[in-house]
Amino acid sequence: MKNEVKIPVYMVLGITTSIILSLFIILITLPVETQADVGQLNFTVGNAAPTVGTVTCGHPTLAEVTDYAAVCYATLTDTNGYQDILTCNGSFYKTTAGLAGSEDKNVRYGNSTCILYGGSGNDVTCNCTFYMKYYADGGVEWSGKLMAIDGTGETGTATGTVNLESNKAIMLPVGNVLWGTLTVNTPYAFNAGNITRANNTGNVNVTLAVQAASGTMTCAPSPANVNCNQIKVLNATGAYASGLALSEGAQNLQLAGMDNMWLDNVNDDAPYTLDNRTAYWAINVPTGVNGTCTITINQLAADALAGT
């Protein structure tokens, strides 16, 4: 015989209701995580054109018939960062000749592959080298223009100036003044056989200055010497009387009336046309002289007259 336990209905309903209420309370008190989708954030940075700071140009001390390198440099700035500057190019030109025109070894040089170095932040240095001929026009102002180019092709430029050093120089490739056997008391005419020729080996127009290294032409075994003023110079063949008497002081041949005795610096377009000149020499041998006579004559590069 089984023992049965009977629970009153009202108790069952009470227990069930208590369980349901407990679960509901648990559900409404548990923390719930929430997340909001903010989407993508994006923007576009506008390009800023680069700028070029102060341009400084210079060159080494110039030497006769020696090519050299002139350099211009500046700090380039781009507020998008220095990496945005892709290239730098430059021009170096005689200021009065201007930038426009093709490259010309006398007045205009260019470099499309200048060097960028030392970049940091928004700044980088541009160094531009120009390989100059020794005869590029000197004694005048030259301009150096640098251009920075960024990734979008925008540019910035600036220009600086420098005075290109003047280099006066001549070379004497011809010096065959050998009068041979002469007769005393005879003024000899200028002729094509006794000449000196000077070439301009600098970068400015020059004229010739001449001077005797001593006051006399030493003669031996002669008891007498020949005064240097018995030697004359001219810019052409002609009569002895038309020449300029030599002295120990330097004499500018152009100032002495020999208007064509100036030498251009070499012109790259038409070389060896006006950059060399010939001087003719003649002598009068006074009485009382015999033997062999010698003298040293110096020729110097001097300033040419304006406008030549």
Side-chain angles (χ1 to χ4, degrees), residues 80-151:
N80 297 116
Y82 81 87
Q83 298 92 336
D84 193 39
I85 299 175
L86 299 185
T87 58
C88 174
N89 60 44
S91 300
F92 193 52
Y93 55 95
K94 183 179 173 181
T95 302
T96 56
L99 176 60
S102 58
E103 289 195 18
D104 182 311
K105 291 181 175 62
N106 286 99
V107 298
R108 193 176 298 110
Y109 293 77
N111 185 345
S112 60
T113 57
C114 304
I115 297 173
L116 296 173
Y117 70 93
S120 177
N122 295 330
D123 298 333
V124 65
T125 298
C126 171
N127 187 298
C128 226
T129 300
F130 306 95
Y131 295 99
M132 311 285 288
K133 298 300 293 183
Y134 73 89
Y135 51 78
D137 289 359
V140 293
E141 181 185 86
W142 281 61
S143 297
K145 182 177 182 180
L146 299 184
M147 175 183 290
I149 306 170
D150 72 7

Side-chain angles (χ1 to χ4, degrees), residues 18-38:
S18 297
I19 293 172
I20 292 172
L21 286 173
S22 298
L23 290 173
F24 178 73
I25 292 169
I26 292 171
L27 288 173
I28 66 174
T29 57
L30 289 176
V32 179
E33 292 185 1
T34 60
Q35 179 174 332
D37 186 357
V38 298

